[in-house]
Amino acid sequence: MPRVYATPEQLAAWTGQPAPADAERLLARASADVDAALLCAYYCTSDAGMPIDPPIVQALADATCAQVEYQLATGDDGTGAAGRWGSVSIGPVSLGDRRDDPRAPGDVDLAPRAHRALMLAGLLPGVIW
């Protein structure tokens, strides 16, 4: 079972808005993004793989909520497909372009606030303590 680091209630508190109907799905996908960003991080976990140190628990919840907030703001549904194409129309002229920057497969589009929460908790860039 995948690890999910935040609840719909925590997401609502983070955003100041009611959690969306699909909050559990969004939180699961955002938690997977956080996991991908933490491949080199070392922290104490339970037998289920969940963090046990309260500051780490909070940082992962904050990062997960920030990731969902970011994806909602950019129109992404957690698949990574949103924001890849743009278009401009001026009268009868229409132009389209790709807006994604070159990334290696597997790179995570991590929200700036998620990155900051993980960095301040000492989890990035893969700090071993």
Side-chain angles (χ1 to χ4, degrees), residues 5-22:
Y5 299 118
T7 65
E9 294 79 18
Q10 288 171 308
L11 178 60
W14 178 269
T15 63
Q17 303 290 325
D22 60 346

Side-chain angles (χ1 to χ4, degrees), residues 37-112:
L38 295 178
L39 288 179
C40 295
Y42 180 81
Y43 53 92
C44 296
T45 63
S46 68
D47 290 339
M50 295 298 288
I52 56 175
D53 185 33
I56 302 300
V57 171
Q58 188 63 54
L60 294 180
D62 289 350
T64 300
C65 290
Q67 186 70 5
V68 171
E69 178 183 48
Y70 176 73
Q71 289 172 339
L72 291 172
T74 60
D76 195 346
D77 60 2
T79 64
R84 298 292 184 217
W85 293 94
S87 63
V88 176
S89 296
I90 302 173
V93 178
S94 180
L95 303 170
D97 66 323
R98 288 194 55 99
R99 294 191 308 202
D100 56 335
D101 50 350
R103 294 180 191 264
D107 278 357
V108 177
D109 183 17
L110 193 63

